[in-house]
Amino acid sequence: MADHIRIRRKPGTWTVRSGGAILGETTGALELSEGDLAPVIYFPRDDIAMAFLDRTDKTTHCPHKGDANYYSIVNKSSVTENAVWTYENPLDAVAAIKNHLAFSIGESIKVEQV
């Protein structure tokens, strides 16, 4: 694993909300810390209501994690484009984030420990 990436299990219960709707809740959250960037919480895919997510064509590449695929969040009041990403086939060094989703935290998206 790149020296500047650390993945650790986050204790407690974590939720993700969009537009007031709860998209998921988990006790299996992972925190990925990468250099000076803010840590990112990754949720197991099985703990997310995938019916709220629509796969997009967007992809990006990280030399330390691999190729990311994106989803938009669709709820009654809005669509938040490319707000969710996942590494479906991450590099071996970060294999722990496979089958996990991360969310762009902002005005309409909240990730919280409850």
Side-chain angles (χ1 to χ4, degrees), residues 72-94:
S72 293
I73 300 171
V74 179
N75 59 38
K76 284 184 180 181
S77 59
S78 66
V79 174
T80 308
E81 297 287 334
N82 298 310
V84 183
W85 68 93
T86 184
Y87 290 90
E88 294 173 345
N89 295 296
L91 298 178
D92 290 344
V94 294

Side-chain angles (χ1 to χ4, degrees), residues 3-112:
D3 290 340
H4 70 287
I5 295 179
R6 187 177 84 190
I7 300 170
R8 63 186 181 115
R9 193 160 189 286
K10 287 298 283 183
T13 301
W14 289 81
T15 63
V16 58
R17 297 173 188 265
S18 176
I22 295 176
L23 301 180
E25 180 176 282
T26 190
T27 57
L30 298 176
E31 179 185 72
L32 186 142
S33 299
E34 184 173 4
D36 294 333
L37 300 173
V40 175
I41 300 297
Y42 280 78
F43 287 76
R45 185 182 299 251
D46 289 343
D47 293 340
I48 299 298
M50 295 299 290
F52 286 102
L53 306 183
D54 280 343
R55 181 81 172 240
T56 71
D57 292 332
K58 181 177 179 174
T59 61
T60 57
H61 178 77
C62 171
H64 306 292
K65 295 186 290 282
D67 295 323
N69 298 97
Y70 289 78
Y71 291 86
S72 293
I73 300 171
V74 179
N75 59 38
K76 284 184 180 181
S77 59
S78 66
V79 174
T80 308
E81 297 287 334
N82 298 310
V84 183
W85 68 93
T86 184
Y87 290 90
E88 294 173 345
N89 295 296
L91 298 178
D92 290 344
V94 294
I97 62 172
K98 183 174 182 155
N99 297 319
H100 285 68
L101 300 165
F103 295 80
S104 295
I105 299 170
E107 258 183 56
S108 67
I109 301 170
K110 306 289 182 211
V111 171
E112 303 169 315

